[in-house]
Amino acid sequence: MMSSATPKFGDVAVSFSGGLDTTLAVILLLEHFERVHLNIYCNGYCLRAHSPHARVTQLRERFGADRVVATTSAMRDILDELLGDNYLAELRRTGSPLIFDLCCRFGMEIATTLYCLENDISYAVDGLNSAQPVIFILEPDYIRQANDFMGDYRIQFLHPVYHFGDRDQRRRLLEDNGMNQEVKAISFVQRTGILPQISEQILTQPLCYAQGPIFLLTSPLRNAPILRKFGLPTEKAMAYREERQEIARGLIRQRMADRGIDIDRLIEARPEPDDLRPLFPHALV
C-alpha cells in the first residue's frame, strides 16, 4: 500500500514499458517523488507502440494526473546511429543478434538522459528485475556501466525493483492499487517453466520485431549448441557498449548544441544528485 507521507523529492524520469515491473517501479517511486515522467519509446520496429497508455490511464486515475506525466517519443534515429550504417556487418562482427537489443535499450537510456537534461531532472529509473530471463542486460556489472554513463551527466540511474523477486508479491502490490492483470493461462506456462520468460507484459507493452531471436536466446533453449554460439556474454556486451558509448556522447553533445546548450557548462551547473538507493530496499546497490 502507498505511504501517506508527503513525497520529499520532485521529479523522476522512468523508461516505461507498461509491463509488470515498470508499473511496480512507478508505484514505489510515487511514495517518494512528487511526479513521475513516464517516457514511452517507439524504436520504429514495434507493434502496439501505444499499448502502455492503458497503464498510464490507470496510474493517473489512482494517483492523480498531476503526478503522472507521460510522453511518447520516437527513437528510431538514435537506434540507427548506435547500430551504424551497416547492421549486417555489425552482426557478423559480433556474432549475435542481441546487439540489436543492447542498442535498443541503450538508445532508450540516451533518450531518457536527454529528457532529464532538458527538464532539469536528476533521477532516472527502469524496471529491470533479476527474476527476468537471463541476459547480459540484467548482470550487475553491465547495469553499473549504464549507471556510470548517466552519472557522467549527474543523473542517478535507479533500479528499484531489481531484487523484488517474488512475482506473487509484485502482483499483490499491483492488485492493491487496482492494476493487477494476471492471465491464468499465461501464468501457467510461466510458472511451470514451459516458457519462463513469458508474462502478462505481452498484453500491456509494445511488441518488437526483434523479440523472436531475443526470445529464443533467453529461453531454456539458449544452451542448445546451435543457439549458444549466437549469445552475447556479459564481457563482450560491455566491450561493445563501450564502443557505442563514444557514439552516444557525441550524439548527446550534438542534440544539446542544436538547442543552443553547451553540454559541458550544463553538466557543471547541475548538482550531484543525492544517493536515493537506500529508499528502495529491493534496488540494485
Side-chain angles (χ1 to χ4, degrees):
M1 295 294 290
M2 286 290 296
S3 167
S4 59
T6 301
K8 180 179 178 181
F9 302 97
D11 295 77
V12 58
V14 182
S15 183
F16 188 69
S17 70
L20 173 66
D21 294 309
T22 55
T23 304
L24 175 60
V26 170
I27 292 171
L28 297 177
L29 290 167
L30 284 165
E31 295 187 18
H32 302 285
F33 288 89
E34 293 178 7
R35 280 171 303 280
V36 294
H37 296 246
L38 307 183
N39 298 115
I40 301 165
Y41 297 115
C42 179
N43 66 6
Y45 299 93
C46 283
L47 301 171
R48 303 182 320 195
H50 295 284
S51 57
H53 284 279
R55 283 291 202 205
V56 173
T57 299
Q58 290 177 326
L59 287 164
R60 284 175 168 168
E61 290 174 349
R62 174 68 178 86
F63 300 104
D66 58 325
R67 300 191 65 200
V68 180
V69 179
T71 59
T72 300
S73 306
M75 49 148 292
R76 169 75 180 265
D77 55 341
I78 297 176
L79 176 57
D80 286 347
E81 287 201 45
L82 290 176
L83 289 172
D85 296 329
N86 194 332
Y87 172 62
L88 292 179
E90 287 297 293
L91 195 57
R92 287 193 296 269
R93 181 169 75 90
T94 60
S96 176
L98 291 177
I99 61 167
F100 183 96
D101 197 35
L102 185 155
C103 288
C104 182
R105 289 171 185 261
F106 185 25
M108 294 179 191
E109 293 169 22
I110 294 168
T112 300
T113 299
L114 286 166
Y115 186 90
C116 287
L117 293 174
E118 293 163 2
N119 292 278
D120 195 24
I121 295 174
S122 297
Y123 299 96
V125 168
D126 65 19
L128 288 181
N129 186 284
S130 59
Q132 292 170 351
V134 177
I135 188 174
F136 61 87
I137 286 169
L138 294 168
E139 291 295 330
D141 286 345
Y142 183 88
I143 296 171
R144 292 181 181 117
Q145 185 182 28
N147 294 350
D148 291 343
F149 178 83
M150 282 202 184
D152 288 343
Y153 299 93
R154 298 192 178 176
I155 300 166
Q156 185 176 37
F157 197 9
L158 297 166
H159 317 279
V161 298
Y162 184 78
H163 292 296
F164 211 132
D166 188 326
R167 198 168 188 83
D168 287 335
Q169 188 179 358
R170 283 182 276 165
R171 285 201 180 104
R172 281 196 298 273
L173 184 54
L174 291 188
E175 187 172 0
D176 288 343
N177 288 277
M179 279 172 274
N180 187 30
Q181 195 159 338
E182 181 174 10
V183 178
K184 294 190 181 299
I186 294 176
S187 295
F188 174 77
V189 296
Q190 193 268 343
R191 291 173 189 277
T192 57
I194 298 171
L195 293 173
Q197 75 273 50
I198 197 170
S199 76
E200 293 85 351
Q201 294 184 87
I202 65 172
L203 302 177
T204 58
Q205 66 182 24
L207 180 65
C208 182
Y209 301 147
Q211 287 301 309
I214 294 168
F215 191 85
L216 286 173
L217 292 169
T218 58
S219 75
L221 298 174
R222 69 182 180 276
N223 292 318
I226 195 170
L227 292 179
R228 191 183 304 140
K229 66 178 183 178
F230 295 112
L232 193 60
T234 302
E235 296 79 7
K236 194 171 181 179
M238 292 178 67
Y240 186 76
R241 180 191 169 105
E242 187 61 42
E243 294 176 8
R244 303 298 99 180
Q245 285 187 167
E246 289 306 308
I247 296 172
R249 291 186 183 99
L251 187 155
I252 291 172
R253 179 174 295 276
Q254 186 59 54
R255 294 291 175 93
M256 299 307 289
D258 290 344
R259 293 166 172 78
I261 299 171
D262 183 294
I263 187 64
D264 297 319
R265 290 183 179 178
L266 178 63
I267 293 171
E268 186 177 355
R270 287 172 63 86
E272 286 287 350
D274 294 332
D275 183 3
L276 300 191
R277 291 174 296 178
L279 296 177
F280 303 99
H282 303 288
L284 176 67
V285 177

